[in-house]
Amino acid sequence: MSDNQSIQQPAILIADDDTTFIRTLAASLRKRRLNPITANTVSKAAILQQQYKPAWAVVDLKMGSESGLKLIQLLRDFNSKIEIIVLTGYASIATTVSAMRLGAKDYLCKPVDTQQILTALGITPPLPEKRQWPEIPETRMPIYQLEWEYLQQVLLEHQGNISAAARSLGMHRRTLQRKLNKRSGSR
């Protein structure tokens, strides 16, 4: 299936002239069960905006000879609620201010990873479908194992002092020693 075929809403528009970057980012977003649509020019991105009405956009500041700032304005004119982040390899205060004034939510410098983009956009990807674990049959712990574990707990509460633990349990010290010498899995 192509990036732009039968995408469910909401979509994420990725506008960048680096085809390797957009292909990699789109694949990463799909793995997170999100719906990327991609464009390598401002005009293609504007067409996709009208067709898919994405909720988010990742816009490269410089796409060939075109400016991503122009695209931010086009996207905002079409949908004032779209969340936009700008990516660039050459950060400057002037372009950052311009992008923010036009309505970009954030400004990230390349290289950038998928999680940084999702965080900047405020997107929490859907959780993978619930995994079906095999049912574990309910088995009860044998009484001798319960007893042994309880005795270990009482002994621990008395810092390993067998006499004090035996007094606490109301039993003779030798009886407690004999019970503790038995292993949890044996009788």
Side-chain angles (χ1 to χ4, degrees):
M1 174 169 85
S2 154
D3 288 345
N4 303 328
Q5 292 176 344
S6 65
I7 301 294
Q8 298 174 349
Q9 295 295 339
I12 300 174
L13 173 65
I14 306 167
D16 197 310
D17 61 340
D18 181 345
T19 56
T20 303
F21 173 76
I22 60 176
R23 193 175 359 168
T24 304
L25 179 57
S28 181
L29 292 171
R30 270 189 230 96
K31 284 181 184 175
R32 289 169 169 81
R33 296 179 45 213
L34 297 168
N35 301 310
I37 53 174
T38 62
N40 57 2
T41 65
V42 170
S43 57
K44 184 175 180 187
I47 291 167
L48 291 174
Q49 163 68 22
Q50 292 175 359
Q51 186 178 356
Y52 294 100
K53 299 169 185 62
W56 307 283
V58 178
V59 177
D60 188 15
L61 185 62
K62 186 166 177 10
M63 290 184 280
S65 61
E66 298 178 291
S67 170
L69 295 176
K70 178 182 174 187
L71 180 56
I72 293 171
Q73 186 64 54
L74 290 170
L75 294 172
R76 279 275 169 216
D77 288 346
F78 190 79
N79 175 6
S80 63
K81 295 186 190 279
I82 190 169
E83 298 285 338
I84 303 169
I85 61 165
V86 175
L87 303 180
T88 186
Y90 311 99
S92 77
I93 293 174
T95 54
T96 303
V97 169
S98 295
M100 299 305 232
R101 281 187 180 156
L102 289 170
K105 181 178 182 174
D106 209 339
Y107 193 92
L108 300 174
C109 294
K110 288 181 178 177
V112 65
D113 66 25
T114 306
Q115 192 54 53
Q116 289 172 306
I117 291 170
L118 293 175
T119 300
L121 287 170
I123 299 173
T124 304
L127 295 172
E129 289 184 25
K130 232 180 183 178
R131 187 170 181 175
Q132 295 296 320
W133 294 99
E135 218 174 284
I136 299 172
E138 186 177 323
T139 56
R140 299 197 184 269
M141 191 179 297
I143 191 76
Y144 59 86
Q145 188 174 353
L146 283 170
E147 180 187 43
W148 186 85
E149 288 183 15
Y150 178 69
L151 295 175
Q152 290 292 327
Q153 179 184 346
V154 172
L155 185 61
L156 185 63
E157 289 171 4
H158 291 90
Q159 291 80 37
N161 184 325
I162 291 181
S163 295
R167 275 192 301 274
S168 170
L169 291 166
M171 66 173 61
H172 194 277
R173 181 184 56 77
R174 284 189 204 155
T175 304
L176 178 57
Q177 277 180 315
R178 196 174 49 245
K179 288 181 178 274
L180 288 171
N181 285 334
K182 292 183 179 179
R183 296 287 166 237
S184 65
S186 63
R187 287 188 104 153

